[in-house]
């Protein structure tokens, strides 16, 4: 078990209300326990999204393509602090301004590892330069690529097993959201828990 599997996550109900805490490892053992998470989408000036292919050592959905970065805030930790920490650890990216564009509650089982994802997932967007410097950690990330969201949605229908099961819902939040206007509040304006308007949504067989 990696050190991060022993980190604490915040357990929540279907509205994002905190219920307690447990370890990353325990939260992802079947049948899973609903906990707070985040998914970051880095978007360049052409509207392309940076995808990462998860490293082979990942305990959940290894070698699948996913959004730019994922993770879990520690109990009580702000989403911005947690997301920028993981962007730095996974991609070597300096802190960025983040805007929450939706919440996605999903359930998915990984047949390869026996773990499950059951997450109250805050979807965060950051607009970044076209030539964003990255230094991915090979223990976290196998590959990176930029992709047009419309093309990605089409490919998700053709080759769903090439992608992490949460990616479709995350990209859907991006496609439904308006592009943030200049001066939109960023990191400091994002609360640690926002009621989801679609918290009953499920994927991955539940």
């Amino acid at each position: 078990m990696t050190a991060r599997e022993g980190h604490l996550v915040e357990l929540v109900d279907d509205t994002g209300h905190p219920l307690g805490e447990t370890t990353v490892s325990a939260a992802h053992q079947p049948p899973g326990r609903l906990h707070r998470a985040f998914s970051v989408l880095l978007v360049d000036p052409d509207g392309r999204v940076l995808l990462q292919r998860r490293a082979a050592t990942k305990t959940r959905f290894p070698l699948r393509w996913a959004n730019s970065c994922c993770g879990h805030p520690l109990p009580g930790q702000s989403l911005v602090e947690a997301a920028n920490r993981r962007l730095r650890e996974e991609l070597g990216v300096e802190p960025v301004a983040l805007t929450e564009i939706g919440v996605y509650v999903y359930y998915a089982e990984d047949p390869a590892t026996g773990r499950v994802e059951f997450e109250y997932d805050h979807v965060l967007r950051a607009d970044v330069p076209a030539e964003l410097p990255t230094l991915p950690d090979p223990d976290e990330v196998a590959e990176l690529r930029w992709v047009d969201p419309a093309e990605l949605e089409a490919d998700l229908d053709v080759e769903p097993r090439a992608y992490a099961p949460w990616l479709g819902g995350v990209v859907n939040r991006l496609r439904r959201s308006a592009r943030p206007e200049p001066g939109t509040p960023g990191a400091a304006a994002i609360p640690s828990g926002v009621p989801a308007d679609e918290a009953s949504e499920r994927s991955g067989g539940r």
Side-chain angles (χ1 to χ4, degrees):
M1 184 176 76
T2 66
R4 286 206 311 116
E5 293 287 295
H7 290 177
L8 294 177
V9 297
E10 186 173 65
L11 300 175
V12 299
D13 63 18
D14 273 354
T15 68
H17 180 75
L19 297 177
E21 58 190 44
T22 190
T23 64
V24 170
S25 178
H28 292 87
Q29 297 291 338
R33 302 185 70 182
L34 183 61
H35 58 280
R36 194 179 312 283
F38 58 83
S39 291
V40 177
L41 293 162
L42 299 181
V43 183
D44 76 2
D46 291 329
R48 298 182 306 164
V49 174
L50 182 65
L51 298 187
Q52 66 155 278
R53 191 178 185 214
R54 295 164 63 81
T57 55
K58 291 283 192 178
T59 59
R60 299 174 299 280
F61 301 100
L63 297 176
R64 302 263 195 123
W65 286 98
N67 48 284
S68 311
C69 175
C70 296
H72 311 94
L74 296 171
Q77 185 182 33
S78 77
L79 291 169
V80 165
E81 181 183 356
N84 272 314
R85 171 175 52 83
R86 289 305 292 158
L87 282 169
R88 182 175 62 253
E89 292 171 350
E90 292 191 12
L91 303 180
V93 170
E94 294 300 312
V96 296
L98 294 157
T99 300
E100 183 166 343
I101 57 175
V103 175
Y104 175 43
V105 179
Y106 70 92
Y107 180 92
E109 300 172 354
D110 184 355
T113 67
R115 307 293 181 88
V116 300
E117 298 276 7
F118 190 17
E119 298 194 329
Y120 188 95
D121 191 22
H122 298 262
V123 182
L124 308 175
R125 170 181 176 149
D127 291 283
V128 298
E131 301 300 326
L132 178 71
T134 60
L135 186 63
D137 180 350
D139 290 333
E140 301 275 4
V141 179
E143 299 177 66
L144 294 174
R145 67 183 170 103
W146 292 93
V147 63
D148 178 87
E151 294 176 3
L152 175 58
E153 281 192 325
D155 202 42
L156 280 162
D157 289 336
V158 175
E159 294 189 272
R161 292 187 179 275
Y163 296 94
W166 60 85
L167 183 59
V170 170
V171 173
N172 175 264
R173 288 347 182 243
L174 175 68
R175 298 271 284 160
R176 285 167 42 185
S177 67
R179 185 178 181 85
E181 296 296 328
T184 298
I190 301 178
S192 61
V194 178
D197 60 355
E198 297 186 9
S200 62
E201 181 172 351
R202 296 289 185 270
S203 67
R206 176 186 281 187

